Amino acid sequence: MDGVRWAFRCGSWVPTRSEWTLAARCVQLEEKERIGQFVFAKDAKSAMAGRLLIRKLVCEKMGFAWDGFRLERTARGKPFLPRTSSTPSVPHWNFNMSHQGDYAVLAAEPGRQVGVDVMKTSRPGSSSIQEFFRIMNRQFTDLEWTNIRKAGTDWDQLDMFYRHWALKESFIKAIGTGLGFDLQRVEFHISPNQMREGQVYRQTQMYLDNEEEDWTFEESLLDKDHHVAVALGKPDISTSEADSGTVCEAPPLSFTLLSFSDLVSKATPLLEEDPAYWERFQSKKEAPSRQSEQQ
């Protein structure tokens, strides 16, 4: 069974009244309220797209009706689908999402740990690139900093920095450790040094506590400014097609860019229409937040 790689360009989405009110009706009440609390329209759009991506996955890949399930959150705030007596025959899918910059992305795999992170290469807000690197010095190993600094111009170095950051975040999110994990324990040996749009790369290797790990990392560019990394744990034998017990790695998956119509193509409204929700959205600030929600 193939995994899923979906992306939605929130940055260029200018919701109409009908789109925003429909989206708000198609998520759970507590999620609608949570999204409504964002100060910036950019963050509200990203969070809404993320909720719709997850419901689309559960509906299309796990076989549930849009209004036939309820998502919960872990203690760390990560969305998940609870296992119930009515779902024992449903394949167990792991999924993870990220939104930052102009995109919301979702990666999912049946029977396999998965984490995803998207990062936009953008200049630090209040410091030079080199000062930013000094502040972030403890997040990378000496080898990683060597590879970052030999990338070329300051901009090229920043681009390589965010590539490394996306890789580290994808792994942390896949294992569910959270903010307490020492990022210097994980070291990435990048390959190739240059990536091209339209290609998915799997050559990068990860070392944990100086030991090479049997994880797969898929790297790609959504556009020239957005890196996306997908961390994949070892596949479960039971979910592979190998009768002999040998797990065969499936070909890497490219991200499919979805439209709003794609997001809601299987949607069934869960809530009544709320005209005031649209009015509150219109009053949100347009200045983008530099923070992202990673789930």
Side-chain angles (χ1 to χ4, degrees), residues 129 131 273:
I129 291 175
E131 175 62 14
E273 186 169 336

Side-chain angles (χ1 to χ4, degrees), residues 139-179:
Q139 307 304 321
F140 296 99
T141 67
D142 290 343
L143 174 67
E144 289 171 332
W145 277 118
T146 296
N147 289 332
I148 290 168
R149 294 189 181 280
K150 73 180 184 182
T153 66
D154 277 4
W155 184 261
D156 292 333
Q157 292 178 43
L158 188 64
D159 196 58
M160 186 63 80
F161 171 93
Y162 282 119
R163 180 179 173 186
H164 278 81
W165 189 264
L167 285 162
K168 294 210 176 195
E169 283 292 315
S170 70
F171 174 67
I172 297 303
K173 292 170 68 182
I175 63 175
T177 301
L179 298 175

Side-chain angles (χ1 to χ4, degrees), residues 99-113:
H99 50 76
Q100 200 272 341
D102 297 331
Y103 289 90
V105 297
L106 179 142
E109 290 286 332
R112 189 175 191 180
Q113 285 177 287

Side-chain angles (χ1 to χ4, degrees), residues 49-69:
R51 300 285 78 75
L52 294 173
L53 283 167
I54 294 172
R55 295 198 76 88
K56 177 182 174 71
L57 173 77
V58 175
C59 182
E60 294 190 7
K61 297 299 181 179
M62 303 183 200
F64 287 85
W66 190 279
D67 58 356
F69 63 93

